[in-house]
Amino acid sequence: MSQHPHVIGWAHTRFGKSDHPDVESLMAEVSAAAVEDAGLTAADIDAISVGVYGTDTTQQRFEAALVGTGTPELGRVRAVRSENACATGSAALYAAFDMVEAGRARAVLVVGAEKMTRAPAATVNDVLLGAAYLPTEQQYGSFPAVFAWLANQYAQRYSNPRDALARIAAKNHRNGVDNPYAHMQRDLGYEFCATPSERNPVVADPLLRTDCSMVSDGAAAVVVTTADVARTARRAVAVRGRAQANDPMPLASRSDPLSFDAAANAFRSALAEAGVGLDDLDLIETHDCFTVAELLQYEAFGLAAPGKGTLLPVEGGTDRDGKLPVNVSGGLKAKGHPIGATGVSQHAIAAMQLVGEASGMQLPRAERAVVFNMGGAAVANYATVLEAGR
Amino acid sequence: MSQHPHVIGWAHTRFGKSDHPDVESLMAEVSAAAVEDAGLTAADIDAISVGVYGTDTTQQRFEAALVGTGTPELGRVRAVRSENACATGSAALYAAFDMVEAGRARAVLVVGAEKMTRAPAATVNDVLLGAAYLPTEQQYGSFPAVFAWLANQYAQRYSNPRDALARIAAKNHRNGVDNPYAHMQRDLGYEFCATPSERNPVVADPLLRTDCSMVSDGAAAVVVTTADVARTARRAVAVRGRAQANDPMPLASRSDPLSFDAAANAFRSALAEAGVGLDDLDLIETHDCFTVAELLQYEAFGLAAPGKGTLLPVEGGTDRDGKLPVNVSGGLKAKGHPIGATGVSQHAIAAMQLVGEASGMQLPRAERAVVFNMGGAAVANYATVLEAGR
């Protein structure tokens, strides 16, 4: 691309059970705030790109138009909604990147949001399972059970990942303590995460509650713009490389369900576009909807050979002070996973790190980050290489 | 833009009550067919852009990934869903245009689909009303009632549009006879459309059943590509100009609910980008979800002065053999309005006209067309100028 898109402003609600009654008011909390953070006004915004999956089962739809009702000064800005299951936030971001690269917009407000805690738990379960291919995967009964199946496959072929999963959970919960936006800011400790208990029950064997991201409300917003506009911003983060890659939806259609081929493909392609390698990265924010997802992503990204990803959390290589910190924010695990907000949040938090505004999360060195966000069980995979600067 | 996107292939199901059980199988009927019609193979397709609003209330979601299950040779092509209420199909198309103009894809399959007839009528009503702003418009109780309110406002300010609405309905039903894809291929005649009756009851006063588009299943697909790829295609239609414009969602927030300002803005902007005027157009395919919508669009497009749109259908200016034919396809009125499919269908049918493949619908002269598709009551408005050629 002749012009990399840039991220120049952001805003983020606290994730968790929110007082906001709906996505409209969640989006309102971050929309004007992100525009202001970018040093722009509503008049500078050419388009709004909204990511909402639709977990809230109220009658109100047409979420793209709800940014302009919650924040009336944006009511005449063209808006559109993107959806790609749990990668919905990144889908909205990539739509904005495309608009900017196509010369169709100079500044796009991207808003990801989800209101999940109003619907009954069984409804939320059904809606999330709707991101799996029901003719072959409804048998699992829940989305956690799909990932539990992957963990069991891993145990059969390689080694029991149970200990590694606990270490990933403990790492992410420890990291989440320093994230002011996190649903849970509590260091649960390795023992708690490793041991089934009344307070940490089995959700879908072998996954415990501490292996599963939470049901959260939340919203995040960023402003995406051209290099020209970014030059006048007080700080900017460049999108140096990006890629989306897909795998067939049914796990049974994959040659190897454990290899997350399209995740690997998206990750490699994004790094290639940026012209960088693994050694050039300072952090990864990745899609740990379940701890076993983070484990399989280690292998897809080439951080470990197939079947060897379990060694990484034991050795601490992805700890905050490790060789390549993964999910310094606490990840979906501790931060929460309000579906449509997640991808936008990941990019916003990586941007904060890269410009030195990540408060307690701040790494001493953070010049280049990769964000990875996936929809379904590694069906729609988005990888973005972000760098501070213009 | 340095490179206009082009449409080089299409496919269209019959609209109406379909034997297809779901959007997956509806999309499967058109996906491979559109790729083949473009003279391409699945390996040539870089991305899939899906438009589904979500009227079918089954548990299965993640519609973007369902193209690759219904048509497995597309299972590894990256896919994303766009949604913008009744303009969902155009939202998916514009996402594809952006990808092509950004240099992010050489060929994109765009699939719009909706399965509406499985859900109970009351559910469909609720889902459609969800495209209105409920805090202020739920009182109307149905989407037809929102447009009935507009018709009554029109009568109060200008003149009773009842006769003009009947003439628009009669025109579109007459045109639909020659559209092999139409839900209803029946010339109902002016008298029937003008007269409340047992078979043509009042839906929301003053709108009769013949003033309202139908609940339909259906899918349409097109292949969008670069000028380079279009050069080798057996025929191509260029996107010469396009624009999306929004108005605030609540009608109460508009300075004049009858003026459809953002529709006018999108239409003008698209013509300006194409460098053409009204006199350069040979046909318009427009969003007549209700006959009063087509009437108000006449005025927004500048075909008639405010309050004078009622004269146009009396004079026959938008008839098939009139000065500027509108909805030669039968429009949403006769063709049907399977929400996600509509915008894609409008572009596909305009493309057929422009390359002389519109069978019984074919106009003697069709070199340049405008497609207009809107979400909500003129909230999200898309206008596209299409021309035959490369």
Side-chain angles (χ1 to χ4, degrees):
Chain A
M1 297 306 103
S2 55
Q3 278 231 104
H4 295 290
H6 289 68
V7 175
I8 58 165
W10 43 80
H12 204 298
T13 72
R14 171 107 196 217
F15 284 1
K17 187 166 166 45
S18 164
D19 290 336
H20 284 296
D22 48 34
V23 288
E24 182 187 12
S25 60
L26 278 163
M27 293 193 295
E29 183 180 332
V30 293
S31 293
V35 174
E36 189 185 344
D37 187 63
L40 302 180
T41 67
D44 300 313
I45 302 298
D46 301 310
I48 298 167
S49 181
V50 170
V52 175
Y53 174 58
T55 307
D56 193 8
T57 50
T58 49
Q59 192 186 345
Q60 182 69 67
R61 300 202 170 197
F62 205 180
E63 288 87 351
L66 293 176
V67 175
T69 52
T71 307
E73 62 265 35
L74 294 167
R76 287 183 173 77
V77 181
R78 69 178 200 263
V80 65
R81 170 180 167 232
S82 297
E83 184 268 316
N84 224 343
C86 302
T88 288
S90 291
L93 263 159
Y94 279 45
F97 296 158
D98 287 345
M99 288 177 204
V100 166
E101 288 184 1
R104 287 276 162 190
R106 281 167 55 84
V108 184
L109 172 65
V110 183
V111 189
E114 204 79 32
K115 178 71 187 179
M116 302 182 74
T117 65
R118 176 163 53 181
T123 304
V124 172
N125 182 71
D126 282 354
V127 171
L128 294 177
L129 189 59
Y133 188 57
L134 297 179
T136 54
E137 282 156 35
Q138 192 156 31
Q139 52 172 317
Y140 292 108
S142 75
F143 215 67
V146 173
F147 282 83
W149 180 84
L150 287 167
N152 285 318
Q153 290 295 110
Y154 194 98
Q156 277 175 38
R157 190 189 310 173
Y158 301 122
S159 62
N160 190 330
R162 191 49 259 161
D163 183 65
L165 301 185
R167 289 178 190 277
I168 290 170
K171 164 181 74 72
N172 291 352
H173 278 294
R174 190 170 57 242
N175 288 344
V177 170
D178 297 316
N179 182 349
Y181 308 111
H183 186 155
M184 189 184 284
Q185 287 185 276
R186 192 136 38 102
D187 183 359
L188 297 175
Y190 164 76
E191 283 302 329
F192 183 82
C193 296
T195 319
S197 66
E198 199 175 326
R199 284 173 52 231
N200 191 23
V202 175
V203 172
D205 189 43
L207 302 182
L208 310 181
R209 184 180 284 165
T210 47
D211 293 302
C212 307
S213 54
M214 290 164 289
V215 169
S216 310
D217 307 327
V222 301
V223 174
V224 173
T225 190
T226 60
D228 282 351
V229 174
R231 255 184 288 278
T232 65
R234 65 185 171 93
R235 50 12 180 190
V237 169
V239 178
R240 289 288 170 201
R242 62 174 172 113
Q244 182 197 346
N246 271 52
D247 250 335
M249 201 176 181
L251 287 168
S253 302
R254 315 261 180 96
S255 54
D256 181 358
L258 292 180
S259 74
F260 280 18
D261 290 343
N265 182 0
F267 189 85
R268 268 197 313 267
S269 300
L271 264 60
E273 183 174 312
V276 299
L278 266 179
D279 289 343
D280 300 310
L281 305 183
D282 299 310
L283 72 147
I284 294 178
E285 284 290 322
T286 202
H287 192 94
D288 59 322
C289 47
F290 303 97
T291 50
V292 64
E294 183 167 324
L295 173 68
L296 293 172
Q297 287 157 18
Y298 290 163
E299 300 179 4
F301 300 163
L303 306 187
K308 302 293 182 195
T310 46
L311 301 178
L312 211 51
V314 177
E315 294 162 355
T318 55
D319 285 0
R320 182 177 166 145
D321 57 358
K323 183 161 183 279
L324 179 54
V326 174
N327 285 332
V328 178
S329 69
L332 284 50
K333 183 69 279 281
K335 188 176 57 178
H337 180 25
I339 311 291
T342 290
V344 183
S345 162
Q346 292 178 304
H347 286 78
I349 283 184
M352 292 176 201
Q353 283 282 2
L354 296 172
V355 300
E357 299 178 17
S359 63
M361 294 180 273
Q362 188 64 51
L363 292 169
R365 179 194 165 85
E367 291 175 7
R368 191 176 293 114
V370 168
V371 166
F372 177 78
N373 183 203
M374 73 182 192
V379 176
N381 304 271
Y382 292 79
T384 313
V385 179
L386 296 169
E387 271 179 33
R390 291 152 178 107
Chain B
M1 298 305 103
S2 55
Q3 278 233 105
H4 295 290
H6 289 70
V7 174
I8 59 166
W10 43 81
H12 204 297
T13 71
R14 172 105 196 218
F15 283 2
K17 188 166 165 48
S18 164
D19 291 337
H20 285 297
D22 49 34
V23 287
E24 182 187 12
S25 60
L26 277 164
M27 294 194 294
E29 183 181 329
V30 293
S31 293
V35 175
E36 190 186 343
D37 187 64
L40 301 179
T41 68
D44 300 312
I45 302 298
D46 300 310
I48 297 167
S49 181
V50 169
V52 175
Y53 174 58
T55 307
D56 194 9
T57 50
T58 50
Q59 191 185 347
Q60 180 70 68
R61 298 201 170 197
F62 204 0
E63 287 88 351
L66 293 176
V67 175
T69 53
T71 306
E73 62 265 35
L74 295 167
R76 286 184 174 77
V77 180
R78 70 179 201 262
V80 65
R81 170 180 168 234
S82 298
E83 183 267 317
N84 225 343
C86 301
T88 288
S90 292
L93 263 159
Y94 278 46
F97 295 158
D98 287 345
M99 289 178 203
V100 166
E101 288 184 1
R104 287 277 160 188
R106 281 167 55 83
V108 184
L109 172 64
V110 182
V111 189
E114 205 77 33
K115 177 71 185 178
M116 301 181 75
T117 66
R118 176 161 55 182
T123 304
V124 172
N125 182 70
D126 282 355
V127 172
L128 294 177
L129 189 59
Y133 188 56
L134 296 180
T136 53
E137 281 155 35
Q138 192 157 29
Q139 51 171 319
Y140 291 109
S142 75
F143 215 67
V146 174
F147 282 83
W149 180 84
L150 288 168
N152 285 317
Q153 290 295 111
Y154 194 98
Q156 276 175 40
R157 189 187 312 171
Y158 301 121
S159 62
N160 191 330
R162 190 51 259 160
D163 183 65
L165 302 185
R167 289 178 190 277
I168 290 170
K171 164 181 75 71
N172 290 352
H173 278 294
R174 189 168 59 242
N175 287 345
V177 171
D178 297 316
N179 182 349
Y181 307 111
H183 188 155
M184 190 184 284
Q185 288 185 276
R186 193 134 39 99
D187 184 359
L188 297 176
Y190 165 75
E191 283 301 330
F192 183 82
C193 296
T195 319
S197 66
E198 200 176 325
R199 285 173 51 231
N200 191 23
V202 174
V203 171
D205 189 43
L207 302 182
L208 310 181
R209 184 181 284 165
T210 47
D211 293 302
C212 308
S213 54
M214 291 164 288
V215 168
S216 310
D217 306 328
V222 301
V223 174
V224 172
T225 190
T226 60
D228 283 351
V229 174
R231 258 184 285 280
T232 66
R234 65 185 171 92
R235 65 333 191 213
V237 169
V239 178
R240 290 288 169 198
R242 62 174 172 112
Q244 182 196 345
N246 272 51
D247 251 334
M249 201 177 183
L251 288 169
S253 302
R254 315 261 180 96
S255 54
D256 180 359
L258 293 180
S259 74
F260 280 18
D261 290 343
N265 181 0
F267 189 86
R268 269 197 311 267
S269 301
L271 263 60
E273 183 174 312
V276 300
L278 266 180
D279 288 343
D280 300 311
L281 305 183
D282 299 311
L283 71 148
I284 293 177
E285 285 290 322
T286 202
H287 191 92
D288 58 323
C289 48
F290 302 97
T291 49
V292 64
E294 184 168 324
L295 172 67
L296 292 172
Q297 288 156 17
Y298 290 162
E299 301 179 4
F301 300 163
L303 306 187
K308 301 295 181 192
T310 45
L311 301 177
L312 211 52
V314 177
E315 293 162 355
T318 56
D319 286 0
R320 181 177 167 147
D321 58 358
K323 183 160 182 280
L324 179 53
V326 175
N327 284 332
V328 178
S329 69
L332 284 50
K333 183 70 275 281
K335 189 175 60 179
H337 180 26
I339 311 294
T342 290
V344 183
S345 162
Q346 291 178 303
H347 285 78
I349 283 184
M352 292 177 201
Q353 283 282 3
L354 297 171
V355 299
E357 298 179 18
S359 63
M361 292 180 275
Q362 187 64 50
L363 292 169
R365 179 193 164 86
E367 292 175 7
R368 191 174 295 113
V370 168
V371 166
F372 177 79
N373 183 203
M374 73 183 193
V379 176
N381 304 271
Y382 292 79
T384 314
V385 179
L386 297 169
E387 272 180 31
R390 288 152 179 109

